[in-house]
């Protein structure tokens, strides 16, 4: 059994209705950020006030499987040593002078529960974002623990709450939760299933990605993180390869691709081979190294006739997290439309 891509399905109301369970959660991304911020509103001011009265922690440890996003945001900014610890437990040196932050939006992860249990046992200050009645919450109970109650299970929304806290206690960059929610709303509007192909960038990107092997790259630390999340969404949508990484790891893939011959029959069967498509995620960061890497990738793609697509976040976004959220949601919409258009023979 094979699959082929039918782009007409992306503008077919009857088809799109059957994909509502996939598309609606994407449209509600901004609402989930606002809901989680509202749920934490009673806890946040007291937690910030208590942190500002005390001394600055010796180090910040982001623990649990969802720590990688916090690492991408905090490592360049945190004024004290910062460690991401995605495995179970905590580093051996963590103690009462340190701050442990944990994202557990679903609250059922045993690794996160192990981390907060260790933090409580060692007397470390712990700030945990999780559902109030969950495995992680049970292990987080302690004198030095602050719990932000989560309700949606959304990883990004829980991260925004935690980053808002870290911003206000001067341990992280500026975070504007409303700007993040607004950026997500803007993507949901521009990528809505009610907008047809001619004016819908996510649908057009899905068409471009069909029958290719996406190679996803982002130049900044957060854009690179977004690239990994988008590649993950594309793999889940299609069950085929989609890779993300730094330029030095992606260049060999592009350079190994057979150059496209202008005399090739575009309808000829190439044995099921999927040519790469270079997808660049541009968050507006203009670092010299990022520009050089992007130019390398674009040149390699051009020499071999590899198609290139670029996703840019909305202009005017002031915070890194909002730009990250915009890129990821755009990629997830494209993945959803790509899956929607696939037809099984």
């Amino acid at each position: 059994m094979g699959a082929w891509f039918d782009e007409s399905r992306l503008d077919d109301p009857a088809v799109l209705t059957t994909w509502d369970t996939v598309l609606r959660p994407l449209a509600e991304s901004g609402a989930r950020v606002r809901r989680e911020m509202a749920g934490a509103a009673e806890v946040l001011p007291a937690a910030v006030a208590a942190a500002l009265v005390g001394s600055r922690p010796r180090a910040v440890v982001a623990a649990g499987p969802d720590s990688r996003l916090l690492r991408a945001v905090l490592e360049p900014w945190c004024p004290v040593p910062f460690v991401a610890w995605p495995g179970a437990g905590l580093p051996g040196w963590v103690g009462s002078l340190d701050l442990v932050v944990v994202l557990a939006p679903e609250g059922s992860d045993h690794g996160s529960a192990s981390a907060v249990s260790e933090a409580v046992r060692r007397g470390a200050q712990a700030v945990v974002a999780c559902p109030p009645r969950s495995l992680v919450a049970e292990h987080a109970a302690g004198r030095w623990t602050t719990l932000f109650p989560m309700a949606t299970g959304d990883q990004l929304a829980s991260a925004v709450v935690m980053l808002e806290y870290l911003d206000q206690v001067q341990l992280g960059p500026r975070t504007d939760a409303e700007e993040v929610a607004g950026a997500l709303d803007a993507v949901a509007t521009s990528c809505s299933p009610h907008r047809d192909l001619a004016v819908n960038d996510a649908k057009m990107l899905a068409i471009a990605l069909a029958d290719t092997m996406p190679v996803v790259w982002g130049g900044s630390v957060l854009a690179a993180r977004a690239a990994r999340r988008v590649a993950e969404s594309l793999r889940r949508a299609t069950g085929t390869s989609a890779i993300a990484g730094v330029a030095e790891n992606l260049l060999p893939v592009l350079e190994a691709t057979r150059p496209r011959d202008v005399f090739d029959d575009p309808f000829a069967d190439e044995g099921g081979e999927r040519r790469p498509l270079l997808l660049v995620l541009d968050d507006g960061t203009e670092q010299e190294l990022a520009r050089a890497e992007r130019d390398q990738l674009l040149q390699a793609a051009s020499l071999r006739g590899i198609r290139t697509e670029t996703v840019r976040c909305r202009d005017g976004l002031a915070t890194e997290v909002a730009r990250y959220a915009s890129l990821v949601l755009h990629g997830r919409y494209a993945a959803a439309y790509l899956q929607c258009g696939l037809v099984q023979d």
Side-chain angles (χ1 to χ4, degrees):
M1 179 180 293
W4 58 282
F5 186 79
D6 180 2
E7 65 182 67
S8 68
R9 290 170 59 87
L10 305 188
D11 277 345
D12 186 335
V15 173
L16 292 171
T17 298
T18 66
W19 286 88
D20 185 66
T21 55
V22 175
L23 295 169
R24 184 174 295 274
L26 299 180
E28 294 172 345
S29 297
R32 288 195 294 273
V33 171
R34 293 188 181 92
R35 180 179 177 184
E36 297 295 27
M37 283 301 303
E42 293 185 5
V43 181
L44 185 60
V48 171
L52 293 177
V53 168
S55 59
R56 178 175 282 178
R58 175 181 63 178
V60 176
V61 179
D66 285 326
S67 63
R68 293 181 178 88
L69 174 56
L70 294 180
R71 176 174 60 191
V73 178
L74 293 172
E75 271 187 339
W77 292 91
C78 191
V80 301
F82 173 84
V83 174
W85 195 263
L90 293 173
W93 51 265
V94 173
S96 60
L97 300 177
D98 304 306
L99 169 64
V100 177
V101 295
V102 178
L103 299 182
E106 295 183 354
S108 58
D109 178 68
H110 289 272
S112 299
S114 172
V116 296
S117 178
E118 278 292 296
V120 170
R121 185 179 68 82
R122 300 185 198 183
Q125 181 187 356
V127 181
V128 184
C130 70
R133 294 181 179 84
S134 64
L135 174 69
V136 173
E138 291 176 6
H139 285 78
R143 180 181 179 184
W144 307 112
T145 299
T146 297
L147 192 149
F148 293 130
M150 299 289 106
T152 67
D154 188 297
Q155 191 255 9
L156 176 60
S158 66
V160 170
V161 172
M162 186 67 73
L163 290 168
E164 187 75 42
Y165 166 79
L166 292 170
D167 171 18
Q168 295 187 32
V169 300
Q170 301 171 12
L171 291 173
R174 176 172 172 249
T175 302
D176 185 336
E178 183 54 39
E179 183 185 56
V180 176
L184 292 169
D185 288 345
V187 174
T189 298
S190 65
C191 299
S192 167
H194 302 295
R195 290 171 63 91
D196 63 30
L197 287 171
V199 292
N200 193 316
D201 290 340
K203 290 183 179 180
M204 292 301 295
L205 180 58
I207 293 171
L209 290 167
D211 301 320
T212 72
M213 183 189 75
V215 176
V216 194
W217 177 84
S220 70
V221 174
L222 272 174
R225 179 66 187 160
R228 293 184 178 91
R229 298 308 298 267
V230 170
E232 177 185 309
S233 296
L234 292 172
R235 288 194 296 270
R236 289 179 175 175
T238 64
T240 58
S241 296
I243 61 175
V246 297
E248 65 177 337
N249 293 333
L250 300 181
L251 273 171
V253 177
L254 302 180
E255 292 171 346
T257 303
R258 180 180 65 84
R260 185 179 292 280
D261 191 327
V262 295
F263 297 107
D264 283 347
D265 181 354
F267 301 103
D269 183 4
E270 298 184 7
E273 175 190 5
R274 288 176 175 263
R275 289 181 62 83
L277 177 144
L278 176 61
L279 177 58
V280 175
L281 302 187
D282 183 0
D283 65 353
T285 301
E286 283 299 318
Q287 299 171 344
E288 184 176 348
L289 178 59
R291 283 199 304 270
E293 290 185 351
R294 181 178 58 200
D295 290 345
Q296 274 187 301
L297 291 167
L298 292 175
Q299 183 179 20
S302 177
L303 288 173
R304 287 154 185 81
I306 296 171
R307 182 167 181 173
T308 302
E309 295 287 337
T310 300
V311 173
R312 295 181 175 86
C313 59
R314 183 166 60 88
D315 292 337
L317 296 177
T319 61
E320 294 178 327
V321 181
R323 294 192 289 269
Y324 164 86
S326 177
L327 292 175
V328 170
L329 187 59
H330 194 130
R332 286 178 170 167
Y333 263 106
Y337 289 130
L338 183 58
Q339 186 176 16
C340 174
L342 288 177
V343 179
Q344 298 292 333
D345 286 335

